[in-house]
Amino acid sequence: MNSFKKILAVVMLACILLGCMAACDTKKENDGDKESQKIESTETESTQGTEVPETEGASDPESESANETDPETDPETEEPEFVDYADELKLDMNSDTFKQTVTVKSFIDGDTTHFNVPTSVIDTGVLKARYLGINTPESTGKIEEWGKAASNFTKEKLSSATSIIVESDNANLNADSTGDRYLLWVWYKPAGSDEYRNLNIEILQNGLAIASNSANNRYGTTCMAAINQAKAFKMAVYSGQKDPDFYYGEAQVITLKELRCNIEEYNGTKVAFTGIITVNYNNGVYVESFDEETGIWYGIYVYYGFGMSGSALEILTEGNESRIVGTVSYYETGGTYQVSGLTYRVMNPDDPSNIKKLSDGHSPVYLPTTPDRFVNGKVDITFTDDEETQTTETYNYAEVAINSSISMEGLKVKSVYTTTTESSYGAMTLTCEANGVTVDVRTDVFRDENGELITADYYQGKTINVKGIIDYFSGNHQIKVFLPEHITIVE
């Protein structure tokens, strides 16, 4: 009996202990729930009015199941529609902005065009327009990916337009930081259309430009929408793809003869050649090289721009023979080809992409040339291909010898035109004649030993000998003279 009572007491004690433990656990759970609710409540209050981002990788199984719909009918997987913002934006002829109907004088690159305007607008009759809100890749001085595509796009649209209007951002005609160009919107009317399209916006929406104060102008909202769409559609500069018009390979080593005789084929190509630096002019140099087979000096203008170091400029000193490495490009304003995009890495002077000095102490050849050879001369040049097959092409002399140095004697000055634009005020074009042949001589701005401007009267009616570079302007070859002492009056 006593044993039984002892066993019963033990069992009852165990039950009491188990009940206490269960009660404690329940209290902990309840307290935890309350604390949890308190935290959730605090979080909800602190994040009110703020969009809380979803955690990457976290998902609700039920919502996953709900989202497993047919891709063809799921709006989230449908391709977004491309919006033609250039068409949606309309030209308001009643706004207070400056507007002017223009025609194209010359194409510079994707975001710069020179337009013909009345002299009441610009004294020179030429309005140099820098497109508002955009910055296209370079295609003239510096050669960049998609630059040529942007330049071609602008040229194509405006060349086929039936009407072009430029518009300022406000009532004034506003100059850019250079003071020589004006910030403008360009509107054009495509053939067969009665509506104007905004070319600035069209360039942006095709991914051919990056932003340039795009949001801070009268069409800023449309500009940003066009840029964001180009990014979303991964177009051109935002595509992450290689530009098919950009040359990515190593420089092709050629002669100046090969380059000059086949210049169009090398357009956009990186080339390397050697030549003598003859004249340093307007942030570039003229380079010439003699070819013994044809007996001709061939030349090219090399634009180095504003970013070259002192060491690089020493390589481009007049009288040096140098190795030039750069990209061939077409200079629309001058109607000629040039080489630009030069590089020089000081820490790696033997880099094959560097320009390099080979020797010094050279002089321009100033090849004696008759007026008749200059104007009417023909040259037969023979080429041999990889299979030893020879072909002969006939060229105009001045066409292949352009940018090389020549001299000419006995030119009678018949008339003088003096430039009046601010940037080259006082430069002259001397129209000369010799043996019935007309030759134009173009001078830089000349001053005498006292600093006085040399004017037309100094040359009018005189017979002169000249030294200069074969140049090209407005459809004609001419002799460009850079120093007053390179024109000698003989009578």
Side-chain angles (χ1 to χ4, degrees):
M1 183 65 179
N2 288 336
S3 298
F4 176 79
K5 287 180 178 180
K6 289 179 180 180
I7 293 171
L8 182 61
V10 170
V11 170
M12 291 177 66
L13 180 60
C15 289
I16 291 170
L17 291 173
L18 288 171
C20 290
M21 292 173 65
C24 288
D25 288 341
T26 301
K27 185 176 186 306
K28 285 181 182 178
E29 287 178 7
N30 290 337
D31 289 344
D33 287 342
K34 288 178 182 177
E35 188 64 29
S36 222
Q37 289 173 7
K38 194 185 295 181
I39 292 171
E40 287 178 5
S41 175
T42 303
E43 288 179 345
T44 303
E45 289 173 7
S46 66
T47 57
Q48 215 167 22
T50 303
E51 183 180 350
V52 181
E54 296 178 2
T55 304
E56 186 176 357
S59 61
D60 177 34
E62 289 186 9
S63 53
E64 272 190 351
S65 174
N67 286 333
E68 289 179 357
T69 57
D70 185 349
E72 294 183 0
T73 60
D74 181 7
E76 292 186 5
T77 62
E78 288 183 359
E79 281 290 328
E81 183 179 351
F82 185 86
V83 179
D84 189 352
Y85 292 106
D87 182 64
E88 288 192 348
L89 188 64
K90 301 302 179 183
L91 173 60
D92 181 5
M93 293 300 295
N94 296 317
S95 69
D96 62 354
T97 58
F98 166 86
K99 301 178 189 70
Q100 177 64 50
T101 301
V102 299
T103 59
V104 174
K105 177 178 175 60
S106 59
F107 296 99
I108 306 304
D109 57 18
D111 56 27
T112 306
T113 306
H114 294 176
F115 294 107
N116 297 306
V117 295
T119 53
S120 58
V121 177
I122 299 291
D123 291 343
T124 61
V126 179
L127 177 61
K128 299 177 181 180
R130 176 65 168 82
Y131 292 22
L132 269 163
I134 72 173
N135 183 16
T136 62
E138 297 298 322
S139 62
T140 52
K142 183 179 180 182
I143 309 299
E144 297 177 326
E145 292 176 271
W146 304 104
K148 186 176 179 181
S151 181
N152 289 342
F153 186 87
T154 294
K155 185 174 183 179
E156 176 191 346
K157 297 300 181 184
L158 295 185
S159 294
S160 60
T162 59
S163 178
I164 304 170
I165 292 177
V166 294
E167 179 189 24
S168 67
D169 207 47
N170 50 39
N172 302 316
L173 189 56
N174 304 302
D176 72 353
S177 58
T178 69
D180 192 41
R181 302 181 304 183
Y182 294 88
L183 298 168
L184 294 164
W185 301 101
V186 179
W187 300 82
Y188 74 99
K189 187 182 291 185
S193 174
D194 295 327
E195 296 284 341
Y196 283 93
R197 292 175 64 84
N198 187 291
L199 183 56
N200 310 50
I201 301 296
E202 191 165 16
I203 292 169
L204 285 175
Q205 75 184 22
N206 281 277
L208 292 171
I210 60 174
S212 177
N213 293 320
S214 299
N216 303 318
N217 55 66
R218 67 186 299 108
Y219 303 128
T221 301
T222 306
C223 282
M224 297 312 299
I227 292 170
N228 291 332
Q229 177 173 257
K231 290 179 179 179
F233 277 82
K234 297 183 178 180
M235 303 186 72
V237 298
Y238 304 110
S239 67
Q241 303 297 316
K242 287 187 174 182
D243 173 9
D245 294 321
F246 185 79
Y247 183 77
Y248 292 92
E250 294 296 322
Q252 296 190 30
V253 181
I254 58 175
T255 62
L256 263 178
K257 169 193 170 185
E258 166 65 20
L259 176 59
R260 179 49 68 189
C261 293
N262 301 282
I263 193 75
E264 292 183 8
E265 295 179 16
Y266 288 100
N267 189 20
T269 302
K270 191 174 184 179
V271 296
F273 57 89
T274 62
I276 295 168
I277 312 296
T278 56
V279 177
N280 192 323
Y281 176 74
N282 200 22
N283 297 108
V285 293
Y286 289 91
V287 183
E288 66 183 11
S289 178
F290 182 68
D291 176 67
E292 292 188 3
E293 184 179 5
T294 58
I296 296 174
W297 285 84
Y298 299 88
I300 194 76
Y301 180 71
V302 178
Y303 180 75
Y304 57 74
F306 298 90
M308 301 301 285
S309 67
S311 300
L313 293 177
E314 288 179 9
I315 294 171
L316 300 173
T317 299
E318 294 176 12
N320 286 351
E321 181 184 18
S322 299
R323 182 177 189 266
I324 304 296
V325 184
T327 302
V328 180
S329 61
Y330 184 68
Y331 181 52
E332 187 81 35
T333 301
T336 58
Y337 286 92
Q338 62 182 22
V339 172
S340 56
L342 277 61
T343 58
Y344 182 70
R345 296 171 178 83
V346 179
M347 302 303 293
N348 188 9
D350 294 325
D351 186 328
S353 293
N354 273 0
I355 58 173
K356 186 176 183 179
K357 175 182 173 181
L358 303 178
S359 61
D360 57 22
H362 304 277
S363 300
V365 64
Y366 291 125
L367 184 71
T369 307
T370 65
D372 185 63
R373 177 172 171 79
F374 180 75
V375 175
N376 302 313
K378 302 293 182 182
V379 180
D380 291 333
I381 300 178
T382 300
F383 300 92
T384 305
D385 62 21
D386 293 338
E387 298 178 356
E388 300 300 320
T389 301
Q390 291 188 335
T391 57
T392 300
E393 299 285 344
T394 301
Y395 297 86
N396 295 324
Y397 170 75
E399 180 184 354
V400 292
I402 187 172
N403 298 151
S404 67
S405 62
I406 66 169
S407 61
M408 196 172 293
E409 297 182 347
L411 297 175
K412 179 79 170 181
V413 180
K414 308 297 288 185
S415 64
V416 181
Y417 167 79
T418 303
T419 302
T420 58
T421 56
E422 185 175 350
S423 59
S424 56
Y425 183 84
M428 295 173 284
T429 299
L430 315 178
T431 299
C432 306
E433 187 177 293
N435 300 322
V437 178
T438 300
V439 175
D440 283 339
V441 176
R442 175 68 176 176
T443 77
D444 200 2
V445 179
F446 286 171
R447 296 187 181 277
D448 61 21
E449 61 274 11
N450 298 317
E452 297 294 326
L453 187 69
I454 297 176
T455 62
D457 292 340
Y458 189 76
Y459 298 112
Q460 182 68 55
K462 308 291 177 56
T463 299
I464 59 175
N465 299 336
V466 302
K467 292 180 179 179
I469 300 290
I470 300 177
D471 194 31
Y472 181 84
F473 178 75
S474 191
N476 294 307
H477 290 93
Q478 59 184 11
I479 304 173
K480 192 164 187 176
V481 182
F482 300 94
L483 298 171
E485 55 266 35
H486 285 173
I487 297 182
T488 305
I489 297 175
V490 294
E491 63 177 51

